[in-house]
Amino acid sequence: MPLLACEGGRPVRPDFLVFGHPLIGQEEIDEVVDTLRSGWIGFGPKCLRFEEGFAAYTRSEHALSVNSATAALHLALIGAGIGEGDEVVTTPLTFTATANVITHVGATPVFVDVDERTQNIDVSRVESAITPRTRAILPVHMCGWPCEMDALGDVAERHELTVIEDAAHASEAWYEGRKIGAISPYTAFSFYATKNLTTGEGGMLTLRDDVAHARLKALRLHGLDKDAWKRYSPGGFMPYETIEPGYKYNMTDLQASLGLHQLARLEANLRIRQSIWRSYDAAFAELEGVATPLPVDREGTRHARHLYTLRLVPGRLSCDRDQFIRALGAENVGSGIHFVPVHLHRWYRSHLGTGRGDFPVAEAIGDTTVSLPLSASMNADDVRDVIEAVRKVATRYLLAGTVVPGWSDDMMEAA
Ligand SMILES: Cc1ncc(COP(=O)(O)O)c(C=O)c1O
């Protein structure tokens, strides 16, 4: 059995494969150059074109471009009127931003454990977390797998709650024939560097209501009235004033230059990731010590294939997850952890009194999950290298007595 690179062996590949390496085409580069040469690089016409395109793609009434999904979620909570003393039901298995924004508006995140198979909020437990102070449900489409929106919508309707979707992973997802982005009053998307559609940093809020749209449109740019950004355009100076103290949450035309072409390529990139996904599934199905994810696309429901997450099978490997990730890194394969559950983060432990044992399913996933590179920028060699590195590391750490396909007892003994 070959020595692991972290033990002094030769790495699987000579150069490091970055986790979340985006696919940037010549179109994006040309568009950015065009923007740089145009004399206007701030919020402007390209952001508006990107918004129109994204609203059409998601079948939503309105789309507001912003500088992150975090900003989009924050604006959504404000739009929904969530504030001091309110509670918002959400998942602990998410990026900290999902919970942070709830605290930004003075509300309290109330976590509900996740379903082990989908890693999404366990809808059957949501109702028991609702109190007279609950105002909203904030589900996350984890890894790109759409949550059970019909069941969540029913609970929300019964208790008069607003649903705000965190679709940071789910630009391409569909649920029961409806596009994610067109189902709930508010849906937030992320265009962070590692996301399926990237603008470096960026996000989009899709929303339905015209009045909320007009208000949040102003709030994302300082709370100024009219199209205040036009004040620098030819003959365009117009007096403007603050109608509500807003935020500096706008996107820029530089970012939208990337977004316009990333959006055009979104479906083609998804097909590439679906194919990488199938290669991983086939390679790891029989690999001892790891378990593959289990999404099933059904008629009308589509997983956005943002994160391919292996689970390390407890008791089968002699390493823990962090060692596994370090060993992959030494083989020059980058990977990620999605996520250390939010209720275990220091601030939430000390302010909400949460801790280990509160949400056992999210914790078990958080302890054993490894996200592998899954980007449309990967070529066949990259995919082969990831597979080889995972096999090498899992096989090396497999506890004696367990069966490794392709390895005889003698080979196991030697290992
Ligand atoms: C589930 C989830 N929600 C929200 C965010 C925040 O996105 P952004 O970095 O665009 O603010 C992320 C970012 O990775 C995320 O994974």
Side-chain angles (χ1 to χ4, degrees), residues 313-373:
V313 181
R316 303 303 299 273
L317 300 173
S318 62
C319 67
D320 65 16
R321 192 272 319 284
D322 294 358
Q323 279 172 294
F324 194 95
I325 281 195
R326 277 197 294 276
L328 278 183
E331 302 298 337
N332 277 330
V333 170
S335 56
I337 299 172
H338 300 90
F339 292 97
V340 174
V342 180
H343 72 282
L344 298 180
H345 290 227
R346 194 183 317 162
W347 192 88
Y348 288 96
R349 278 193 279 115
S350 63
H351 285 75
L352 300 185
T354 52
R356 270 222 173 250
D358 290 352
F359 306 104
V361 183
E363 289 164 26
I365 295 169
D367 287 343
T368 57
T369 185
V370 179
S371 305
L372 300 182

Side-chain angles (χ1 to χ4, degrees), residues 56-105:
Y57 178 75
T58 53
R59 276 76 165 162
S60 56
E61 296 293 322
H62 303 287
L64 281 176
S65 61
V66 284
N67 58 20
S68 64
T70 308
L73 288 168
H74 187 199
L75 289 177
L77 287 159
I78 293 168
I82 315 291
E84 211 63 50
D86 294 336
E87 290 177 355
V88 177
V89 172
T90 192
T91 166
L93 192 67
T94 184
F95 186 58
T96 187
T98 315
N100 289 353
V101 289
I102 297 171
T103 67
H104 291 163
V105 295

Side-chain angles (χ1 to χ4, degrees), residues 66-73 91 93-99 101 138-143 166-169 188-195 200-204 306-307 338-339:
V66 284
N67 58 20
S68 64
T70 308
L73 288 168
T91 166
L93 192 67
T94 184
F95 186 58
T96 187
T98 315
V101 289
L138 207 172
V140 176
H141 306 298
M142 184 65 183
C143 304
D166 181 337
H169 300 178
F189 297 86
S190 173
F191 308 141
Y192 175 62
T194 59
K195 294 296 190 284
E201 294 281 3
M204 196 74 80
H306 175 53
L307 295 171
H338 300 90
F339 292 97

